[in-house]
Amino acid sequence: MPRTAPLLSLRQASLYLLIALVGAVTLPATARADTTVMRWHTLTLDFEGPELSESATPNPFTDYRLDVTFSQGDRTFVVPGYYAADGDAANSSADSGTVWRVHFSPDQEGDWTWSASFRRGKGVAVSKNVRPGAPAGFFDGKSGTFTVTPSDKQRPDLRAMGRLVNDGTRYPKTLGDGEIFLKAGADSPENFLAYAEFDGSFKTDGHRDHHVKTWAPHVRDWNPGDPTWADGKGKGIIGAINYLSSKGLNAVSMLTMNIGGDDRNVFPYTDYDERQRFDISRLEQWRIVVEHANHKGLFVHFKTQETENETLLDNGDVGPQRRLYYRELVARFGHLLAMNWNLGEENGKWGKNHHKPRFQTTEQRVAMAQWFHDHDPYGHPIVAHNGQWPGDLYGPDNHFDGWSLQTSTPTFRNVHRSTLNILNAAKNSGKVWMVACDEPGDASHAVKPDDLDPDHFHARTNALWGVFLAGGWGIEWYYGYKNPHSDLTLQDHRSRANMYAQSAHALHFFRSNAVPVGEMDNHNKLLVDADGFCLADPGQVYVVLVKDASKPAKLDLGSHAGPFTVRWYNPRTGGDLQTGQHTTLSGGGQQLLGAPPAEPDRDWVALIRKSE
C-alpha cells in the first residue's frame, strides 16, 4: 500500500548531513517544530512518492504535480517541486526512484509552516487550474513547521545580502541589506553548461559535439571543500565560478536551452529531440553549479532560449511544452537569491534586413513574462534581449522588469546611448526599467583576449563606464565569434583577466565610495569641452568620466553654490581616490576640473561632492 510519510535510507541520511554542512538544510517531510534553517539559506524537503522513472508511464514530469505552500502569518509562497529520482541523482546518475523534492529560501526570521499538495492526472503539471487532477496519495496533505534564524554568511556570499528584487527603480536591490546591486561579469561563453562532466547523451549525439567543454584550465581554481559530484567530477566548471569571483566579478550568464542554436549541447531534456522528459541527474548537477555561483557572490543570468529556437516550443506560444519547461526551471532554480529570467536571446522580429523566418510576436513575448510573473513565487526580475528593439514591451501593461541590451559597434560607442534611450523610453511609457548591457560590442570580436587588446580602452570607457553613467545597472562581457577563446570555444577566463580587473575596479568605485546612484540621473550636458559622460544629482554629487584628461574639462554647476570636493579615480588600476590639480570647486557656473594626478592623456573618473 502507498506510504503516507517519507522514509530515510542510510544513503539519504548521509546526503542530508552533507547538504547541511555546506549551508542548506534537507529534511524528510516529517519536519518538526524544532527544525531550523537560516534566513536566505535553502530549505529542501524530500518526499517519498511512487516508484517512477524518467521514461515511466504515467510520465512523472507531466502527470504528477507537487506544490508546497510555505507560510508565515498572512504571507505565502506556493513553490513548485519536482521529481528527483533516488534523491541523489547528481552522484548516482539515477533515472528512477521515489523521491520528490522542493527547495525554499525563506526571507524572514521566525516560525514558518508548510503544506504539500501532490496531484496526479493527465497533464496536471501544466494545468492552469490551481488543484488539477486528483489527490495522488502518499504525502499529499502532509504539513510541518520550521524556524528561521539569522544567516551566518559574509560577503560575497549572497546569503549575507538576501534575494535580488526589482522594486520599480532602475536598480535591483538585495532584500537582506537593501543595497543597490550593480553587476559586472561574463556573458560568454553562452554555452557555459556544455560541460563534459555533466551526465547525458548531448556529448555524443552528433549535434556539434566539438563544442563540449572540459573547463580544464580552471581545475586549479577548485578548492578543497568546494562541491563536486560522482566521485570528484565538476572541478573544472566549479573552478571557473571560483575564478570569476576571485577577480571581483559578480555575474555569470548561461543558456539553459540551445537546441537548434549555435552550440546545441545545452538542454534539460533526456535527449535532443525530447520535450516532455527531463534528465534528472544533469539538472541536479546544474543546480550544484549555480548554487555555488550564488555562494561565491555571482548573480546567475539564465537565458531560457536563443533566437534560433524561440518558436521551438508550442510554435512560440506559452503552451504545454513551454509551461513544462518553465515549471522545471522555477522548481529547480527559483530558490536562487540573485538571478533573472531572460526570456529570449536576440528575441523577436529583427530589422528589415534580417531574414529570420519565424519569430515570436509581441503577444507571445508578453505571455512569457506573464507566465513567470504568475508562477515564480519569488518574483525574480524578468527581462529579454534584442533582436527586436523593446518598443512593443514598454509600459505598465506587461511584466517585463527591464532589458538585456545587445549592441553592434566594434568601439562600443553605442552602449551608453542605447542604454540611455531604453531607460528614457521605458520611463516615458509609464514604467521604470532596469537596463544592463549584456552583449556589448560587435558580433565578430567585441571584447578581444588581453593579448590582442591589452588596454581595452573602448570597452572600458564606452561600455563599462558608459553603461553605469547612463544609469544602467550592469554589464556582462561578450567575446565575439572570430576571436580565440570565443563565445562558443572559451574554456579559460584568464584570456580576459585585464578586462575583468577593470570591471572590478568600477564596482569597487561605486561601492567603496557609497555613490548614491539611486538618487542620480544622466546629465551629460553638464560636462563641457570633454568627451565623456556624467551621472549626477545636481548640487550634491557628480561622477564624470573623461576619456582624455589632457583636454581641459569643465563641469557646469549652474546655480549650485559650493564648495565641492574633487577627487580622481583611475579606472585602469583602481585603488583609492586621488587628489589632482584642484581639490575643491567654488561652485556656480562652469568650473574647470583641472588635471588628474598623473597620466593626463588617459581616461580618468572624477567624483565631485558637495562639501559637508
Side-chain angles (χ1 to χ4, degrees):
M1 60 183 294
R3 299 186 184 104
T4 57
L7 301 178
L8 278 176
S9 66
L10 178 61
R11 177 192 52 74
Q12 286 173 317
S14 298
L15 175 64
Y16 299 151
L17 176 60
L18 173 63
I19 294 176
L21 288 175
V22 299
V25 175
T26 303
L27 303 167
T30 51
R32 306 180 305 277
D34 61 352
T35 297
T36 61
V37 62
M38 285 182 275
R39 187 186 185 199
W40 305 122
H41 294 227
T42 301
L43 172 70
T44 295
L45 295 177
D46 278 358
F47 301 89
E48 190 89 356
E51 179 75 43
L52 294 165
S53 71
E54 290 175 350
S55 59
T57 302
N59 183 337
F61 306 105
T62 60
D63 298 339
Y64 287 88
R65 174 167 169 167
L66 168 61
D67 292 299
V68 180
T69 301
F70 294 89
S71 301
Q72 186 187 58
D74 60 357
R75 302 171 63 247
T76 62
F77 295 78
V78 180
V79 181
Y82 61 92
Y83 177 53
D86 68 347
D88 191 24
N91 293 296
S92 68
S93 298
D95 60 6
S96 64
T98 60
V99 177
W100 292 76
R101 176 169 289 165
V102 69
H103 305 290
F104 179 61
S105 57
D107 62 350
Q108 295 292 340
E109 297 167 23
D111 295 331
W112 288 76
T113 64
W114 61 264
S115 61
S117 168
F118 189 45
R119 312 288 290 184
R120 65 182 180 185
K122 190 69 172 177
V124 293
V126 296
S127 172
K128 296 180 181 180
N129 295 327
V130 176
R131 293 179 64 82
F138 294 89
F139 53 88
D140 181 56
K142 290 295 178 181
S143 61
T145 62
F146 60 98
T147 299
V148 177
T149 60
S151 176
D152 63 351
K153 299 303 177 185
Q154 302 295 322
R155 289 176 178 270
D157 194 320
L158 270 298
R159 291 170 294 184
M161 296 177 276
R163 185 172 298 113
L164 194 72
V165 297
N166 169 31
D167 68 350
T169 67
R170 292 198 315 261
Y171 301 104
K173 296 180 176 67
T174 45
L175 280 177
D177 57 19
E179 289 194 11
I180 285 172
F181 187 93
L182 300 180
K183 73 167 179 175
D187 177 68
S188 292
E190 68 177 30
N191 58 346
F192 176 81
L193 294 173
Y195 179 47
E197 293 190 354
F198 288 144
D199 286 352
S201 61
F202 68 93
K203 295 166 284 191
T204 56
D205 64 2
H207 294 283
R208 303 189 179 175
D209 300 330
H210 60 286
H211 285 319
V212 174
K213 302 178 185 303
T214 64
W215 287 113
H218 286 296
V219 170
R220 62 175 159 152
D221 299 305
W222 182 90
N223 297 309
D226 286 341
T228 59
W229 56 87
D231 296 323
K233 290 183 178 181
K235 290 182 179 180
I237 197 168
I238 293 293
I241 292 292
N242 288 349
Y243 177 77
L244 294 174
S245 177
S246 74
K247 296 299 292 183
L249 302 182
N250 63 0
V252 63
S253 176
M254 62 199 70
L255 280 163
T256 55
M257 186 178 69
N258 60 21
I259 293 170
D262 295 327
D263 168 74
R264 306 187 184 181
N265 291 293
V266 179
F267 47 88
Y269 305 111
T270 51
D271 66 59
Y272 192 82
D273 298 313
E274 178 59 61
R275 302 292 178 264
Q276 293 189 324
R277 297 179 185 271
F278 296 88
D279 190 312
I280 297 167
S281 60
R282 183 160 77 250
L283 288 174
E284 285 295 287
Q285 291 157 3
W286 286 12
R287 182 168 67 87
I288 290 171
V289 173
V290 295
E291 284 182 352
H292 184 67
N294 263 198
H295 297 170
K296 299 300 288 186
L298 300 184
F299 163 92
V300 178
H301 185 162
F302 285 119
K303 295 179 178 176
T304 59
Q305 61 182 2
E306 57 183 322
T307 185
E308 291 88 352
N309 61 28
E310 65 186 71
T311 61
L312 177 71
L313 303 179
D314 307 307
N315 294 316
D317 289 337
V318 182
Q321 290 180 342
R322 189 175 296 271
R323 294 198 300 270
L324 184 65
Y325 169 52
Y326 287 168
R327 179 180 172 86
E328 288 288 324
L329 291 180
V330 172
R332 294 173 184 274
F333 311 122
H335 62 287
L336 295 182
L337 297 175
M339 57 161 288
N340 67 209
W341 303 116
N342 186 327
L343 304 189
E345 184 256 1
E346 298 181 339
N347 186 249
K349 184 178 182 179
W350 287 33
K352 62 183 180 180
N353 295 323
H354 187 85
H355 302 293
K356 186 168 67 172
R358 303 180 68 186
F359 51 85
Q360 286 184 293
T361 65
T362 297
E363 292 74 20
Q364 289 171 326
R365 284 145 62 93
V366 169
M368 290 189 294
Q370 183 73 51
W371 190 96
F372 277 96
H373 174 267
D374 292 345
H375 294 90
D376 176 2
Y378 303 108
H380 293 297
I382 300 167
V383 303
H385 177 269
N386 57 286
Q388 183 175 339
W389 204 246
D392 61 328
L393 302 176
Y394 295 136
D397 297 331
N398 68 70
H399 295 290
F400 283 95
D401 297 301
W403 202 248
S404 176
L405 175 64
Q406 172 178 315
T407 63
S408 59
T409 57
T411 62
F412 304 89
R413 187 77 191 193
N414 56 354
V415 169
H416 178 83
R417 180 179 65 252
S418 295
T419 302
L420 196 56
N421 286 345
I422 295 175
L423 285 169
N424 288 337
K427 182 178 179 180
N428 293 338
S429 298
K431 183 179 180 180
V432 175
W433 268 10
M434 311 181 307
V435 177
C437 189
D438 296 323
E439 194 169 322
D442 63 315
S444 298
H445 294 289
V447 177
K448 298 177 182 179
D450 291 341
D451 58 357
L452 297 180
D453 183 9
D455 185 62
H456 298 292
F457 170 78
H458 293 298
R460 179 177 62 253
T461 58
N462 288 330
L464 177 61
W465 288 90
V467 72
F468 286 131
L469 299 192
W473 77 278
I475 195 160
E476 294 172 6
W477 297 111
Y478 166 72
Y479 301 148
Y481 68 86
K482 289 186 177 180
N483 291 317
H485 310 286
S486 75
D487 183 43
L488 294 181
T489 65
L490 180 127
Q491 300 208 58
D492 189 355
H493 280 293
R494 286 179 176 81
S495 61
R496 271 80 172 183
N498 290 350
M499 192 69 257
Y500 292 158
Q502 293 172 23
S503 303
H505 297 332
L507 294 180
H508 172 77
F509 168 83
F510 287 103
R511 178 168 174 75
S512 65
N513 295 296
V515 179
V517 292
E519 301 168 22
M520 303 167 73
D521 289 296
N522 177 263
H523 288 277
N524 287 342
K525 290 183 179 180
L526 300 181
L527 180 60
V528 182
D529 296 335
D531 185 7
F533 313 117
C534 176
L535 188 74
D537 178 6
Q540 297 299 318
V541 59
Y542 305 77
V543 177
V544 170
L545 170 82
V546 290
K547 299 179 187 178
D548 181 352
S550 67
K551 299 176 181 178
K554 299 175 183 176
L555 183 65
D556 189 349
L557 295 170
S559 61
H560 299 293
F564 294 86
T565 61
V566 182
R567 298 292 182 270
W568 293 89
Y569 186 74
N570 188 329
R572 300 172 302 285
T573 62
D576 297 328
L577 296 178
Q578 303 178 50
T579 300
Q581 179 182 6
H582 299 323
T583 58
T584 60
L585 301 179
S586 60
Q590 295 183 6
Q591 300 282 320
L592 279 169
L593 293 177
E599 300 180 290
D601 59 340
R602 303 297 301 274
D603 51 306
W604 283 86
V605 174
L607 177 61
I608 301 98
R609 289 187 188 268
K610 174 82 173 188
S611 296
E612 296 182 357

